Amino acid sequence: MGIPHRPRGAIKTQSDKHPAAKALHSVGMKVTPQRQGILSVLDFARRPLSVEEISQRLSEPRPGLSTIYRNLERFIQEGWAESMPGSDQIMRFLKCHSGAHHHHIQCEECGCVVEVGACEIEPLLREAKDLGGFTITRHRLQLFGLCPTCLVKPQIG
Amino acid sequence: MGIPHRPRGAIKTQSDKHPAAKALHSVGMKVTPQRQGILSVLDFARRPLSVEEISQRLSEPRPGLSTIYRNLERFIQEGWAESMPGSDQIMRFLKCHSGAHHHHIQCEECGCVVEVGACEIEPLLREAKDLGGFTITRHRLQLFGLCPTCLVKPQIG
DNA sequence: GTAGCTGCAAAAACTTTGCACACAC
DNA sequence: GTGTGTGCAAAGTTTTTGCAGCTAC
């Protein structure tokens, strides 16, 4: 047990089994175990991960770091992932579940991230006068706070 | 010529001449030419500068890069400067003229940055319900647009 | 005079690149 | 079979660290 038996004939590329494979297919990218692995790791992650962290979460044999870098770049191009530069030099990556305009809230305690769909900032900006004469074309909002779990949990110290 | 003669007696530390020196003094940092230079470069910059760019704008003899890094770190601690991670790996630094909560608008064309003092986002966040149960503690808003100059100037292409 | 600061050089950390081989299609 | 993708290793960049000497105070 554990290994489900696979109906033969249904196996060739498993392209239509996992959504990841489907997505890769749809943009003309080859469906490789490495890509599926990286996408899967990002899917399960609840906070932005560095390349190193992504590598650690991948099962052996692990793809080379360069493979991870190269694929993340493509995923970002496709709008599947986002890079989140932090205060350190390390770039962290996050999967975007919504293709539309959205923002992220990150918990200051545990680092988990959720997407916030509704963006009510645009109208605000339209009204704002004192923007130094700038015409706003886009914005980026990062929210920080405490997630429900960490809010309940008493802070250490 | 070239070298202005300096009234003797007025020279000791010039601590009370430049605001930079004053500021350094006020937090117990020694007033060195390197620090004054870096602060001055940041003061004149209209867009975030990388360490390399700061170095290039300093007059000979230039401080070592490590000196620039070390001082930027302190300036950020003091709230005089801010680091702005971009899409590349390079950290860029910007002088904050307001100590209070503020945001930046960056021109997508020329890269210049201005501060926006009034932040009308807080009340908005307080009303917002669908934040996944998060309690917002702080936020970071980056605005991008076209500055008045670039708005007038016809785009190339 | 002393603590703090700087310069230099070496090391560290992160990311990119080149090329031969492998694999998805 | 072909072209894309991968692994490995080397190089490139940016940033940090250690230490001896210097300088602001």
Side-chain angles (χ1 to χ4, degrees):
Chain A
M1 70 282 219
I3 303 171
H5 90 271
R6 305 181 268 195
R8 78 181 85 168
I11 210 174
K12 26 186 353 188
T13 10
Q14 69 191 110
S15 356
D16 28 27
K17 275 181 136 181
H18 297 300
K22 222 178 205 167
L24 286 169
H25 241 159
S26 72
V27 296
M29 292 172 75
K30 290 188 178 172
V31 181
T32 66
Q34 291 89 337
R35 284 179 174 164
Q36 292 181 102
I38 297 169
L39 283 174
S40 169
V41 164
L42 288 178
D43 245 338
F44 282 107
R46 269 184 306 215
R47 58 183 185 78
L49 299 179
S50 67
V51 167
E52 195 57 50
E53 288 167 328
I54 292 172
S55 172
Q56 284 165 6
R57 296 182 184 208
L58 286 166
S59 48
E60 305 274 7
R62 298 203 182 106
L65 289 183
S66 44
T67 297
I68 302 180
Y69 276 108
R70 281 188 281 231
N71 280 308
L72 284 173
E73 193 178 352
R74 295 221 45 187
F75 295 165
I76 290 174
Q77 277 177 21
E78 300 299 338
W80 299 344
E82 204 171 300
S83 63
M84 306 199 74
S87 46
D88 53 7
Q89 253 55 250
I90 306 173
M91 198 64 92
R92 285 161 212 283
F93 300 88
L94 188 69
K95 188 146 185 208
C96 293
H97 299 88
S98 149
H101 176 68
H102 64 270
H103 298 298
H104 293 115
I105 311 182
Q106 180 161 27
C107 177
E108 307 230 54
E109 195 63 18
C110 69
C112 71
V113 168
V114 303
E115 290 182 15
V116 193
C119 176
E120 308 179 30
I121 291 182
E122 296 287 3
L124 196 85
L125 293 175
R126 219 156 285 135
E127 286 175 32
K129 299 292 178 195
D130 191 19
L131 296 177
F134 274 62
T135 304
I136 306 298
T137 51
R138 63 192 176 88
H139 67 267
R140 178 174 183 158
L141 177 64
Q142 291 172 274
L143 300 170
F144 302 90
L146 289 171
C147 70
T149 309
C150 290
L151 194 61
V152 173
K153 198 166 36 185
Q155 310 291 308
I156 303 159
Chain B
M1 68 292 212
I3 301 171
H5 90 273
R6 305 181 268 194
R8 78 182 85 168
I11 210 173
K12 26 186 351 188
T13 9
Q14 68 192 108
S15 354
D16 29 26
K17 276 181 136 180
H18 296 300
K22 223 178 206 168
L24 287 168
H25 242 159
S26 73
V27 297
M29 292 171 75
K30 289 189 176 171
V31 181
T32 67
Q34 291 89 339
R35 283 179 173 162
Q36 292 180 102
I38 297 170
L39 283 174
S40 168
V41 165
L42 288 178
D43 245 338
F44 282 108
R46 270 183 306 216
R47 58 183 185 78
L49 299 179
S50 67
V51 167
E52 195 57 50
E53 289 167 328
I54 293 172
S55 173
Q56 284 163 8
R57 295 181 184 209
L58 286 166
S59 48
E60 305 275 6
R62 298 203 182 106
L65 289 183
S66 42
T67 297
I68 302 179
Y69 276 109
R70 281 187 280 231
N71 280 309
L72 285 172
E73 193 177 353
R74 295 221 44 189
F75 295 165
I76 291 173
Q77 277 177 22
E78 300 298 338
W80 299 343
E82 204 170 300
S83 62
M84 306 201 74
S87 46
D88 53 7
Q89 253 56 250
I90 305 174
M91 198 65 90
R92 283 162 214 283
F93 300 87
L94 188 68
K95 187 147 186 208
C96 293
H97 299 88
S98 150
H101 176 68
H102 64 270
H103 299 298
H104 293 115
I105 311 182
Q106 180 160 29
C107 177
E108 307 231 52
E109 196 62 18
C110 69
C112 72
V113 168
V114 303
E115 291 183 13
V116 193
C119 177
E120 308 179 30
I121 291 181
E122 297 287 1
L124 197 86
L125 293 174
R126 220 157 282 134
E127 287 175 33
K129 299 294 177 194
D130 191 18
L131 296 177
F134 273 63
T135 303
I136 306 298
T137 51
R138 64 191 177 88
H139 67 267
R140 179 176 181 154
L141 175 65
Q142 292 172 274
L143 300 170
F144 301 91
L146 289 171
C147 69
T149 310
C150 290
L151 193 61
V152 173
K153 199 166 36 184
Q155 310 291 307
I156 304 159

